[in-house]
Amino acid sequence: MKFEASRAKALDQLNTFVENNLSQYSKLRNFDFGPENRKNISGLSPYITHGVINEKEVIEKSLSKFSFSKNEKFIQEVLWRTYWKGWLELRPTVWADYLIELDKIRKEFKNNKNYFNAIEGKTSKECFNYWVSELKENNYLHNHARMWFASIWIFTLELPWQLGAEFFMQHLYDGDPASNTLGWRWVAGIQTQGKNYLASEWNIKKFTNNRFDNIKLNENAPPKIPEKTYSIMKKNFSNKNINDRNLLIFENNLSFETTDFKNNKFKKIYIISNKNKNRSIKLSEKVIKFKSLLIDDQKQRLKDNFIDCEVFDISEIKNIREEIIALYPTVGENLDYLNSNNLKLDFLFRKLDQYSWQYCNKGFFNFKNYIPKIITTFN
Ligand SMILES: Cc1cc2nc3c(=O)[nH]c(=O)nc-3n(C[C@H](O)[C@H](O)[C@H](O)COP(=O)(O)OP(=O)(O)OC[C@H]3O[C@@H](n4cnc5c(N)ncnc54)[C@H](O)[C@@H]3O)c2cc1C
């Protein structure tokens, strides 16, 4: 699967998937047939993560082809992302604590041979080594491979989940603080407490079409024990005066023309780029390049619509003299930068997030009950 960095490519991929492959999605989605054969899944996450296309558009397109009941599985998956986002927004300290733990563990593992063998794909597990090179080469892994990978990392190689989550963030084109951190916590058994995900030989063989041999794993490990529980923080979405201000867009909203605020009048739009200098987790060159091409693509589309815009590095925000307002960057490195530099901005929140996040206080099974309500409100 090739990920070209443009909205045109994302829309094309969405259309092709919905027209040709959506009908088989719930039956085939769990199969990882290998990087050359990804038609059973949408491959849209690198675009949705960056807001190049959004969940609403994806769901609308799927509903134009099939009814909600025929489409339910796909819609649920699309809204997992919204759920994970909301879950983390209500407990932002989970992310802050993750970065603190990561910093400590990095030091402890700076000479650890097992860790280096793992990230260089030199372990005794053929499938794991394969996924390491697939991740570095294609910057994407199938969802099932992510689950197996994380499980082998934690329970067979016995490495800390925090380092595995960092490794994913460094190389995934869709790297996202919520889906990634909470995905790893879920596999470890600290997200749904007491329930870990254990990869098994038969499951890997079946869902990879027997592409790998000699898969001897620890299939009986107990879940990791959470060190802390997190209480919910209230989210404040108060309305702001929008018009005639400068708008900041971060890397999670790179399609201004589809946002809830597309009809508002802004003086100028600043698209904020965040290179490695201001990140706790240093991304691979390919990921930085992918982000920068998506930013250029957004800039070009704004210019084509005669909207005054400029790309600014995150460190230059303090130099913008006139009043600014920003599309909310969500919990992650960009928000961390604003907070640690005492840049107190007014934020605009997506209506879908404002509405959905109220249902993220409990587990996904509870959230799922509200999906029909979310769909009728937004589609
Ligand atoms: C350990 C681990 C780490 C992960 N890290 C990330 C990450 O950094 N960024 C990321 O976007 N996803 C992450 N995921 C979730 C999931 O693996 C990817 O979103 C999915 O594989 C993307 O492929 P796709 O677009 O073909 O998905 P499809 O199956 O076509 O699903 C359609 C869309 O639904 C959403 N989605 C599907 N499954 C999930 C899920 N489990 N959680 C959240 N959203 C989902 C995505 O937006 C996806 O594009 C992670 C999962 C695990 C187990």
Side-chain angles (χ1 to χ4, degrees), residues 232-280:
I232 290 176
M233 284 170 75
K234 212 176 150 353
K235 223 116 197 108
N236 182 6
F237 298 114
S238 62
N239 286 327
K240 305 287 180 327
N241 173 25
I242 299 179
N243 290 331
D244 291 320
R245 297 173 82 173
N246 292 296
L247 179 71
L248 302 192
I249 294 182
F250 293 90
E251 67 194 31
N252 62 324
N253 269 306
L254 294 177
S255 185
F256 170 73
E257 57 272 50
T258 66
T259 63
D260 300 319
F261 311 99
K262 59 178 186 283
N263 295 324
N264 288 95
K265 246 192 108 30
F266 296 99
K267 270 193 184 153
K268 182 167 180 166
I269 294 183
Y270 292 90
I271 313 169
I272 303 303
S273 138
N274 187 357
K275 301 264 165 57
N276 273 337
K277 195 166 149 261
N278 291 302
R279 288 182 189 270
S280 305

Side-chain angles (χ1 to χ4, degrees), residues 1 17 25 29 40-46 48-49 58 74 77-82 84 140-144 146-147 150 168-169 172 174-177 179-181 183-184 186-187:
M1 190 173 266
F17 173 74
Y25 178 78
R29 57 181 276 272
N40 55 324
I41 44 166
S42 73
L44 290 170
S45 53
I48 308 179
T49 298
V58 173
F74 181 67
E77 293 304 312
V78 173
L79 290 175
W80 254 111
R81 165 186 303 281
T82 317
W84 278 146
Y140 175 88
L141 287 179
H142 184 283
N143 180 57
H144 222 158
R146 296 182 200 210
M147 289 159 62
F168 267 22
M169 281 302 284
L172 284 171
D174 63 27
D176 172 81
S179 293
N180 190 53
T181 316
W184 276 85
W186 178 82
V187 172

Side-chain angles (χ1 to χ4, degrees), residues 133-150:
S133 49
E134 187 186 339
L135 175 63
K136 287 180 181 172
E137 216 158 284
N138 298 350
N139 306 89
Y140 175 88
L141 287 179
H142 184 283
N143 180 57
H144 222 158
R146 296 182 200 210
M147 289 159 62
W148 297 320
F149 186 109

Side-chain angles (χ1 to χ4, degrees), residues 283-300:
L283 307 178
S284 73
E285 264 177 45
K286 280 170 78 186
V287 172
I288 290 285
K289 173 95 181 153
F290 185 70
K291 287 180 188 294
S292 135
L293 290 173
L294 288 177
I295 286 176
D296 291 346
D297 184 60
Q298 164 73 105
K299 182 179 167 197
Q300 189 55 47

